[in-house]
């Protein structure tokens, strides 16, 4: 009797394993797991969340600092190469930036000759 019981236990275990696999498959289809953190879809979702957070930060910063950018521009400060605008009329020499690059007595130099190797 012991050998018959042992011989019949193998088909029962195989049949029971099949029933378990079918029920497990049905259960997983009805109750899907949340996306794994290692999938491409999860990476795309995390990227979208990060972009939304960055947009929110930029919008908050613009709301706080927007009036600074919308203000009319300040008058230009005197440049480092010339005297202040109030003193410009007293100078007899023209400023260096207002002189042309070539004058009648000083022409621009010709390009260098090409040397063949």
């Amino acid at each position: 009797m012991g050998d018959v019981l042992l011989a019949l236990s193998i088909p029962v275990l195989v049949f029971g394993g099949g029933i378990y696999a079918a029920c497990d498959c049905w259960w997983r289809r009805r109750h899907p797991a949340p996306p794994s953190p290692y999938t491409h879809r999860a990476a795309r979702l995390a990227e979208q969340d990060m972009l939304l957070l960055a947009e929110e930060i930029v919008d908050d910063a613009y709301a706080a600092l927007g009036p600074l950018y919308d203000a009319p521009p300040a008058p230009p400060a005197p440049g480092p190469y010339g005297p202040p605008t109030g003193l410009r009329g007293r100078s007899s020499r023209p400023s260096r930036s207002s002189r042309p690059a070539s004058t009648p007595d000083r022409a621009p130099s010709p390009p260098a000759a090409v040397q063949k190797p």
Side-chain angles (χ1 to χ4, degrees):
M1 181 77 177
D3 293 337
V4 173
L5 204 58
L6 183 64
L8 292 176
S9 67
I10 294 173
V12 169
L13 286 175
V14 170
F15 183 73
I19 294 293
Y20 176 79
C23 291
D24 186 47
C25 181
W26 175 84
W27 180 261
R28 288 184 187 265
R29 285 187 183 190
R30 297 285 187 250
H31 306 89
S36 170
Y38 303 108
T39 62
H40 290 289
R41 182 170 182 243
R44 282 195 311 267
L45 291 174
E47 182 182 2
Q48 287 176 354
D49 289 342
M50 194 176 2
L51 285 175
L52 289 174
L53 179 64
E55 285 179 7
E56 185 178 318
I57 290 171
V58 169
D59 290 343
D60 291 345
Y62 186 76
L65 302 174
L68 295 175
Y69 294 109
D70 295 336
Y81 299 111
T85 56
L87 300 176
R88 196 172 296 268
R90 296 180 189 168
S91 175
S92 62
R93 270 179 57 191
S95 69
R96 186 168 211 172
S97 63
S98 67
R99 260 193 299 183
S102 63
T103 57
D105 60 328
R106 188 179 64 185
S109 61
V114 178
Q115 297 176 357
K116 293 185 180 179

